[in-house]
Amino acid sequence: MLNNTDQEFGEKRLHSDPLSWVEKYADYLYGFAMSRIRDEEVAKDLVQDTFLAALQKLDGFEGNSQEKTWLTAILKNKIVDFYRKRSISSVKDLREMDVEGELKDFFDTESGHWTEKDYPRAFGLEMYNPLMIKELGFVLNKCLAKLPGLWFSVFSMKHIDDLASEQICNELKLTNANFWVIMHRTKLNLRACLQKNWN
């Protein structure tokens, strides 16, 4: 790590002045946190915790990634910690779910196919239409906002952050069965919400 004297003599510093981080990265990090947490106060707290953790780890920053990427990685870990703490009670709720009963509501138990009333309908995006895609994105975000916190976390880690299922289970202390129940219920809920709100 370079000290102030090294910097005065023109040697390259690996990071920008931490006093500039809030101005440079706070909005981006807050948006990132909100896209995964959906709670303004928690998102603000996590961004503040990210800056504090980065200051504490500053000597370990070797410049192998961009500063923004490094801060985002710290924030991702903070988000995972947040959901890990909340997942204990949610997992207890999962054990009490009647998953078999729910499946019967959507699928014919003999054939395993969708029931006629629950069969997925086409979304009407057969041709590229930027306006319709934007509208669908808006509806999808509203549907995602209705999901329980743990479900949203699992879904976003899998489909937004593109993490492996095993890694998500390890991070959130979920069993493989819990993970697949959450994913299944999330997809069913999103499908029902989209079909209800998307013409």
Side-chain angles (χ1 to χ4, degrees):
M1 186 68 211
L2 302 176
N3 59 34
N4 288 337
T5 308
D6 294 328
Q7 291 163 30
E8 287 170 10
F9 289 103
E11 291 192 34
K12 185 178 180 184
R13 185 166 57 175
L14 299 174
H15 59 81
S16 65
D17 181 357
L19 295 175
S20 70
W21 288 353
V22 171
E23 184 180 333
K24 285 171 143 178
Y25 306 119
D27 288 343
Y28 168 78
L29 294 173
Y30 174 74
F32 185 91
M34 276 299 292
S35 72
R36 285 150 178 83
I37 298 291
R38 303 180 339 251
D39 181 312
E40 290 183 18
E41 292 306 312
V42 173
K44 288 176 186 175
D45 289 345
L46 290 176
V47 171
Q48 288 177 359
D49 290 347
T50 297
F51 288 136
L52 289 173
L55 280 172
Q56 292 168 350
K57 299 175 184 179
L58 200 52
D59 288 341
F61 181 67
E62 298 175 354
N64 295 329
S65 63
Q66 292 183 351
E67 198 171 66
K68 183 178 179 181
T69 305
W70 177 63
L71 290 168
T72 304
I74 294 171
L75 177 58
K76 281 183 182 179
N77 290 330
K78 297 289 178 189
I79 292 169
V80 167
D81 288 343
F82 171 78
Y83 276 118
R84 185 182 296 132
K85 289 173 187 169
R86 291 186 56 186
S87 69
I88 296 167
S89 62
S90 299
V91 169
K92 203 177 296 179
D93 294 340
L94 278 175
R95 292 188 191 113
E96 297 168 6
M97 289 178 188
D98 179 16
V99 178
E100 293 298 323
E102 286 185 14
L103 291 177
K104 290 175 188 171
D105 292 340
F106 291 94
F107 302 101
D108 181 302
T109 51
E110 290 181 21
S111 69
H113 296 292
W114 291 97
T115 61
E116 189 174 329
K117 71 178 182 65
D118 291 303
Y119 193 85
R121 296 190 303 267
F123 280 100
L125 290 175
E126 290 76 23
M127 297 180 65
Y128 178 71
N129 183 328
L131 183 58
M132 286 183 75
I133 291 172
K134 185 175 180 180
E135 288 176 13
L136 179 59
F138 178 74
V139 172
L140 177 60
N141 283 333
K142 289 184 98 173
C143 291
L144 286 168
K146 294 178 181 179
L147 294 174
L150 179 63
W151 297 13
F152 180 80
S153 178
V154 170
F155 185 82
S156 65
M157 290 170 83
K158 181 69 176 171
H159 294 292
I160 296 174
D161 295 331
D162 202 25
L163 299 181
S165 305
E166 289 176 13
Q167 185 179 355
I168 297 169
C169 289
N170 289 337
E171 296 284 0
L172 297 180
K173 307 296 184 219
L174 298 171
T175 65
N176 194 46
N178 291 150
F179 172 82
W180 288 111
V181 168
I182 290 170
M183 288 300 294
H184 174 74
R185 294 195 83 204
T186 300
K187 289 177 181 179
L188 288 177
N189 273 269
L190 286 175
R191 187 179 73 83
C193 180
L194 285 169
Q195 288 192 339
K196 180 180 179 183
N197 296 287
W198 175 253
N199 300 344

